[in-house]
Amino acid sequence: QVKLVESGGGLVHAGGSLRLSCAVSGFTLDHYTIGWFRQAPGKERERVSCISSSGGSILYADSVQGRFTISRDDAKNTVYYLQMNSPKPEDTAVYYCAAGDRYDTRCFEGRDMDYWGKGTLVTVSS
């Protein structure tokens, strides 16, 4: 059974930094595609970033480009990160990680993926 668990959320001041983690378990394959999404109060869920199974393809939403960085723990290969630098109050949301198999391109297409975590709340104060 595939399981994703996010952690690292909390309160951060605008201009600070925060790192979210996503621990993945239960995949039968060694590599998979990961996406970070977020949903702010009263808004639809939106894609934040995607990383391919090889790590060779990465995508960021325009709103976070240059401030957020998605990465993988190569030693563990089961932990993914979203480094949030210079967050803004408008980045306040519940952040979710999602996963698909190594051939899954839906994150890059802006579509929902198969497996989801329960989310972690990030609040950015001004």
Side-chain angles (χ1 to χ4, degrees), residues 2 4 22 24 27 32-35 37 97-101 104 106 113-117:
V2 177
L4 291 83
C22 174
V24 184
F27 258 100
Y32 28 83
T33 302
I34 292 291
F37 296 75
C97 67
D101 67 32
D104 194 335
R106 285 176 291 178
M113 303 176 76
D114 284 333
Y115 307 103
W116 293 82

Side-chain angles (χ1 to χ4, degrees), residues 6-14 16-21 36 68 82 84 87-89 91-95 119-126:
E6 304 93 340
S7 61
L11 176 65
V12 61
H13 292 296
S17 64
L18 196 68
R19 189 177 76 168
L20 306 183
S21 299
W36 282 97
F68 291 9
L82 183 69
M84 304 172 61
K88 303 175 182 179
D91 294 321
T92 294
V94 177
Y95 284 73
T120 185
L121 175 63
V122 173
T123 303
V124 184
S125 64
S126 57

Side-chain angles (χ1 to χ4, degrees), residues 5-6 8 23 26 31-33 37 40 42 46 52 70 77 80 82 112 117:
V5 180
E6 304 93 340
H31 297 84
Y32 28 83
T33 302
F37 296 75
E46 64 173 345
S52 65
I70 191 171
N77 202 36
Y80 287 75
L82 183 69
D112 279 353

Side-chain angles (χ1 to χ4, degrees), residues 29-105:
L29 301 175
D30 291 335
H31 297 84
Y32 28 83
T33 302
I34 292 291
W36 282 97
F37 296 75
R38 68 186 182 187
Q39 186 165 20
K43 295 187 177 181
E44 294 186 354
R45 186 169 61 197
E46 64 173 345
R47 177 188 58 188
V48 176
S49 183
C50 312
I51 185 168
S52 65
S53 59
S54 68
S57 295
I58 291 177
L59 176 147
Y60 295 102
D62 290 343
S63 59
V64 307
Q65 180 77 47
R67 300 187 297 119
F68 291 9
T69 302
I70 191 171
S71 64
R72 176 179 64 197
D73 186 327
D74 288 331
K76 298 179 181 179
N77 202 36
T78 57
V79 181
Y80 287 75
Y81 303 105
L82 183 69
Q83 179 68 41
M84 304 172 61
N85 293 333
S86 301
K88 303 175 182 179
E90 52 262 43
D91 294 321
T92 294
V94 177
Y95 284 73
Y96 301 90
C97 67
D101 67 32
R102 65 192 304 170
Y103 304 109
D104 194 335
T105 60

